[in-house]
Amino acid sequence: MIANVVVDIPSKNVDKIFDYKIPPDIEEIVKVGVRVEVPFGSRKIQGFVINISEQLSSDIDMSKVKSIIRVKDFKPELTPELIKLSEWMANFHLVKRISALEIMLPSAVKAKYQKIYQVNDPENLPAHILNRFNKEGILTFDQAQQSEIVTDLEGYVKSGQLVKDTIVGQQLTKKYATCIRIMPTDRLDEIIESLHKKEKQLDILNYLIEHRNEDVLLKTLKEEGFSNSSINTLVKNQVLEKYNSVVARDPYENRIFEKEHNKSLTNDQQHAFTQINEAVQGNESTTFLLHGVTGSGKTEIYLQTIENVLEKGEQAIILVPEIALTPQMVNRFKARFGDEVAVLHSGLSKGEKYDEWQKIRDGKASVSVGARSSIFAPFEKLGLIIIDEEHESTYKQEDYPRYHAREIAIWRSEYHQCPVVLGSATPSLETFARAEKNVYQYLELPERVNKQKMPEIELIDMREELKEGNRSMFSEQLKQAIQERIDKNEQVVLFLNRRGHSSFVLCRDCGHVPQCPNCDISLTYHKTHDDLKCHYCGYSEPMPQLCPSCESEHIRQMGVGTQQVEEQIYSTFEQAKVIRMDVDTTSRKGAHEKLLTAFGEQEANILLGTQMIAKGLDFENITLVGVLNADTMLNLPDFRSSEKTFQLLTQVAGRAGRHKKKGEVMIQTYNPEHYAILDVTKNDYLSFYQKEMKFRQIGKYPPYYYLVNLTISHFDKTKVLKAAKHAHDILIQHVSSKSFILGPSPSPLSRINNQHRFQILIKFKSEPDLLTALQYLDDYYHEQYVKDKLSLEIDINPQMMM
């Protein structure tokens, strides 16, 4: 038998299928989807079996075909569907097959390679060398380097006393726990009889007999009320024995979720539920757009539809855009479905994520809740895929391999013949346009579930505040509204989409602004460590006391970030208690949930944060939302800047007045006439959509045209220019006159990490030969990258233009 294997080398040169013989002794366990260790040249590497056949896939001589060394999995890590999906991704997204396969797996199962020296002839090795090796006769190359004996060892390799090898391991560490079991015996009846007067010991024995087919944790026995002394006595008398067993890590093991039952649906909810459920029952690969205002009960529809999916014996995936949204979503799903739910997001440790993923693979979980990468959850009977807040750009992977979760979801829905639900209060223009053309089925929830009115939204012109001499971050109206909420013991959400203390530092005498030496961007001031940081390459330097250019003392922090706003809140409002949520405060594991729980338990009356607080939060005591500067995204060099501004402001405004208390929203802006901001105040998505679509049509942007963005980067600007011209010339030959090629031109961020960056933007409607040209460029510049680190990034349907 022959195994077709994709090897774990992320290189274009070996981005193909290799044939390996399957030794007869492991034929039973080599299955499609398992990882295997194979010889490749002079080394051993990991590979994925993607097919098994009786014939070779090429004309190579059978005598030259090598054999698989060993199998690394008892069960396949990948399903046949995911292997097929990786082939589609490799072609559509121009990614290497191994990169597509590896992104589907949790990082804990990725291969870890170690070069080693192994003892071959121990009798002829000097004792001082032999003592360096472990019991198995192995010494790692790293250990040899640290001991500075590599040269000596190489001599013993040449003479045959040692051999060099590569161990293919993995980064997975297992969690063990102490378990208790009855020692094997044929005298069990006698033992039970002898314990008839020792009730406590007898109870333990009966409990273990009842659970004899499972691992019983020592911890569980103690929780059941059995005493440590009784257990130890039975162990001492050799009736019971302790042993270690691998246990799954459950990030929610210490949490109790109160059972939640179905809520009654409104007429609009019932209509949407019926339409989606019909597609579930009819096995239809329909894509729905569920367009519901904030607070309209989209999550309840998700829950009730998933319940029907589970009753049908199928599984469901629900995606959320950020970790910040996960805690509240997890609470609702765990409360409804309990242990059926597996959670997959980057806030978990490697081990926890692997164990949750394994629950799905082994069929112990039927619902997956998580961020972008959980779209690859290895379910084999998918009945429903839901993408909540579908407009969010975080569903697009911005680094290699680039993919959009929505595209993967639609591919999987066609494979499984199941529906996809795209939910949002502010759908992306591309999605809404497809719904208008009946490519997607449109479902609307125009009202909040409790008939609660949408919050009143007031625009505050900060230009007028400046004229009145108010230079603080708070207008007089917002300041007064915050104080009223504090006095009433109500809660406030304040939104500013800029972290740090100050956005930049400026010398008022000469105008000098400290720049990052590696990137064409100004440094951001962070007060916590009193330093200036670059948010692109991580460079930092101390805050200067004097201007580095003219040595003036008049160097000041300009612009405002969340850190500075927090200080201003405390200096302005005496009774304020602030929880700040941004990248700086949520970097530790579990920080999102901890902060949101604290706010939900009213340990603070003001929640201040960046866009991570704009979506998904549902607290009944929030009656005021303040947007401190609505203009931060409007002026970005991105054709989606107006759309992102409208979406973000609508989402954050929706946090107010979601329950019985009336909500109010105040938006501070220097552009009160801008249509994106005005339409937020009217809560009028359709009006914004129609205006924005006109600009998209004039500018030839999505959804009227597709986009491909090519970014070329290198330390040498001349080489970047030459490569950009070459790429442009190739594209011209393969693209018709109906399409547009813009550039090459400097990227909006023209230098990051000392690499100069130029970009080429292609706008097209249908170009059959374009993929061929892009494939050629991808192959050609892969060679250039290997030789000279000249990089070409190809982004199909880009979300970020920076």
Side-chain angles (χ1 to χ4, degrees), residues 568-631:
Q568 289 189 21
I569 292 170
Y570 281 122
S571 62
T572 308
F573 306 101
E574 284 183 18
Q575 294 89 22
K577 292 176 184 173
V578 182
I579 287 176
R580 174 163 62 90
M581 281 188 73
D582 54 30
V583 173
D584 299 317
T585 62
T586 56
S587 55
R588 288 187 179 182
K589 186 187 171 191
H592 289 91
E593 187 167 8
K594 190 177 177 183
L595 293 173
L596 290 175
T597 302
F599 189 70
E601 291 172 356
Q602 302 198 33
E603 291 176 23
N605 46 26
I606 297 176
L607 179 65
L608 164 68
T610 54
Q611 61 184 11
M612 62 176 65
I613 66 163
K615 304 167 284 288
L617 305 186
D618 189 359
F619 295 112
E620 62 181 37
N621 204 32
I622 296 173
T623 57
L624 174 66
V625 168
V627 178
L628 300 179
N629 186 353
D631 316 317

Side-chain angles (χ1 to χ4, degrees), residues 520 709-714 716-725 727 742-752 755-761 790-794 801-802:
D520 284 338
N709 192 31
L710 281 70
T711 304
I712 299 157
S713 56
H714 192 264
D716 185 338
K717 196 172 186 177
T718 308
K719 288 183 179 178
V720 176
L721 288 165
K722 283 181 181 176
K725 185 180 184 307
L742 307 182
S745 60
S747 297
L749 283 166
S750 59
R751 189 170 59 103
I752 293 178
Q755 295 217 11
H756 298 278
R757 304 167 77 243
F758 272 68
Q759 68 181 31
I760 299 169
L761 189 65
L790 180 67
S791 167
L792 169 68
E793 296 173 2
I794 300 173
M801 306 300 292
M802 302 286 280

Side-chain angles (χ1 to χ4, degrees), residues 502-518:
S502 307
S503 49
F504 64 98
V505 171
L506 171 75
C507 173
R508 294 188 177 183
D509 284 347
C510 72
H512 173 76
V513 175
Q515 300 279 314
C516 174
N518 309 316

Side-chain angles (χ1 to χ4, degrees), residues 263-531:
K263 297 174 182 173
S264 57
L265 301 178
T266 65
N267 291 338
D268 291 323
Q269 281 178 307
Q270 187 63 51
H271 172 72
F273 167 76
T274 303
Q275 295 292 309
I276 299 166
N277 193 46
E278 281 175 5
V280 168
Q281 302 304 329
N283 300 316
E284 298 169 17
S285 58
T286 309
T287 302
F288 293 93
L289 168 58
L290 181 60
H291 182 197
V293 297
T294 53
S296 58
K298 295 185 287 292
T299 306
E300 186 61 31
I301 294 173
Y302 302 158
L303 289 162
Q304 294 196 25
T305 314
I306 288 173
E307 194 170 349
N308 286 0
V309 168
L310 300 187
E311 284 174 7
K312 198 182 167 197
E314 294 177 342
Q315 300 121 356
I317 292 173
I318 175 157
L319 299 188
V320 292
E322 293 182 31
I323 310 171
L325 295 189
T326 317
Q328 288 201 320
M329 195 66 89
V330 167
N331 287 346
R332 290 203 65 183
F333 275 75
K334 284 274 191 187
R336 196 70 64 96
F337 304 118
D339 290 338
E340 290 277 335
V341 179
V343 182
L344 295 169
H345 62 73
S346 59
L348 305 179
S349 69
K350 276 185 183 180
E352 286 173 341
K353 196 171 184 181
Y354 176 72
D355 288 348
E356 290 289 291
W357 182 87
Q358 204 173 27
K359 269 171 67 177
I360 297 169
R361 189 199 65 183
D362 295 345
K364 294 175 183 173
S366 301
V367 181
S368 164
V369 179
R372 177 181 60 229
S373 62
S374 61
I375 190 60
F376 300 112
F379 288 123
E380 296 191 36
K381 287 184 181 177
L382 262 180
L384 179 67
I385 303 172
I386 296 166
I387 303 183
D388 193 35
E389 310 292 1
E390 70 81 29
H391 62 277
E392 281 295 323
S393 58
T394 50
Y395 287 125
K396 175 71 187 280
Q397 169 105 346
E398 291 300 335
D399 52 3
Y400 190 86
R402 293 174 181 81
Y403 67 90
H404 199 296
R406 184 173 55 229
E407 295 162 353
I408 306 296
I410 290 170
W411 188 95
R412 293 195 75 180
S413 89
E414 289 169 359
Y415 183 93
H416 288 277
Q417 290 298 293
C418 71
V420 174
V421 178
L422 307 174
S424 179
T426 53
S428 66
L429 266 67
E430 292 93 323
T431 297
F432 197 83
R434 286 184 185 128
E436 266 198 329
K437 290 187 174 182
N438 297 319
V439 177
Y440 298 162
Q441 191 169 329
Y442 184 69
L443 303 170
E444 189 179 15
L445 302 175
E447 294 180 338
R448 287 185 160 182
V449 284
N450 48 14
K451 300 293 180 185
Q452 189 74 13
K453 285 186 178 179
M454 296 299 289
E456 293 177 11
I457 302 176
E458 185 179 352
L459 276 188
I460 298 169
D461 188 344
M462 293 303 283
R463 296 172 302 187
E464 297 299 320
E465 292 290 317
L466 275 175
K467 285 179 188 175
E468 296 294 322
N470 180 9
R471 297 186 176 276
S472 82
M473 273 304 289
F474 302 104
S475 62
E476 289 303 322
Q477 289 154 280
L478 181 57
K479 201 185 294 183
Q480 187 179 339
I482 292 171
Q483 189 60 58
E484 283 175 12
R485 294 329 188 273
I486 292 173
D487 294 342
K488 289 181 185 175
N489 288 323
E490 294 174 350
Q491 289 175 300
V492 179
V493 168
L494 294 179
F495 169 74
L496 178 67
N497 204 22
R498 182 177 283 145
R499 69 185 175 102
H501 185 275
S502 307
S503 49
F504 64 98
V505 171
L506 171 75
C507 173
R508 294 188 177 183
D509 284 347
C510 72
H512 173 76
V513 175
Q515 300 279 314
C516 174
N518 309 316
C519 313
D520 284 338
I521 194 84
S522 59
L523 294 169
T524 303
Y525 177 63
H526 285 251
K527 191 168 184 181
T528 311
H529 298 103
D530 194 32
D531 60 1

